[in-house]
Amino acid sequence: MREEQIRALLADWSGPAYVFDLAALRTRLAFLRRSLPEDISLCYAVKANPFVAGALAAEADRFEVCSPGEYRICQREGVPPEKLVISGVYKDPDFIRQLVRDEPSVGVYTAESPEQFRLLCAAAEENGRTLRVLLRLTAGSQFGMDEDDLCRIVRNRADRPHIDLRGIQFFSGTQKRSAKRLRRELDRLDELLERLENVYGYRAAELEYGAGLPVCYFQGEDFDEPSFLAECSELLTGLRQRPHITLELGRSIAASCGQYLTRVVDAKRCRGQRYAILDGGMNHLVYYGQTMAMRVPHYALYPPRPSGGAEPWNLCGALCTTNDIVVKQLPVPGLAVGDLFLFDNTGAYSMTEGLSLFLSRDLPRVYLLEEDGSLRLVREAVRTDIVNGPMM
């Protein structure tokens, strides 16, 4: 952010805030498209950051939603229903039945179990709809189903005339930096797709793959992303089976567009240690891979100052727990109450994965930084005492 934008936020400061830069978001998506094969589609996982779904409505090919709440957000933000992937390990039966009845243009549904598949079949038959369905293959967790269950569904597909069985969905985790791991996963998927064709005469039209592309959150990380994406592209184009491939990404698309802003509200020494207390903390700031606050995320300090004379400070949040430490022993020159820390790469998951209800502190304001440089407030600070306590 430019200095005048920071000053505008400080002039109306009411506590911590997130700022999501829409130009940076679209630039990132364009970079991924350039770095991957032309015929690959990109699916945005809404859970990574629901606030930017509307900004991507015309940019992303698909949007994965895993709850009725995420679906309603996409509705409000103008995401076309034909771009939606209705996913999730639990699908509320009433929601699914209503959705099938009222929104026939939904893009595709996923089935994570034989029971989910039966739910989709029943909803389709009840409403005379044909649903496009992806079968989710497990990676060894509670998500998805075993190959035997998946093959059984494929074998008996003729018994389900209301289901257009599109192919396979697979996701095995995030922050994957090993091309060898991607190769193992894609080889497994390729072999399964060949088996489905050779044994059951079924040729999948689609493969939706959660590649789990990594994000560098901390200073000193050494990762050659262009080379990694080139290797990933080579693996994708080298599949023997050639269904249409969609990469499901969340963190990789949204992380770099976000900053989390929090101010120093107290500074003290205790037993020889310097502690800076922030008005935010671990309830709002989540970095995948952070370990005991020992790694230093990318950040900026405002007002800026010369680098000389730095002293080590422990940056601590506002929660009443000794775990609420953002960074330990961070060298900061001339730290003072009122200083503003701007933590980078907070565009994915920070606003949804933090301990946001602990201690009943307010949720931060959320701003969108428009491409013309203007800041748009899209959520005021939200009181959590009305959630954490009786309402009557």
Side-chain angles (χ1 to χ4, degrees), residues 299 301 303-313 330-336 339 341:
Y299 75 96
L301 183 62
R305 62 209 63 188
S307 58
E311 297 174 318
W313 287 87
L330 180 69
V332 182
L335 182 142
D339 283 350
F341 280 90

Side-chain angles (χ1 to χ4, degrees), residues 294-315:
M294 299 302 294
R295 307 175 77 183
V296 180
H298 298 278
Y299 75 96
L301 183 62
Y302 186 85
R305 62 209 63 188
S307 58
E311 297 174 318
W313 287 87
N314 299 302
L315 302 187

Side-chain angles (χ1 to χ4, degrees), residues 147-148 151 190-200:
E147 288 189 18
D148 288 347
C151 289
D190 216 6
E191 290 169 5
L192 175 59
L193 293 171
E194 284 190 331
R195 178 183 169 196
L196 294 178
E197 182 173 18
N198 295 336
V199 177
Y200 305 106

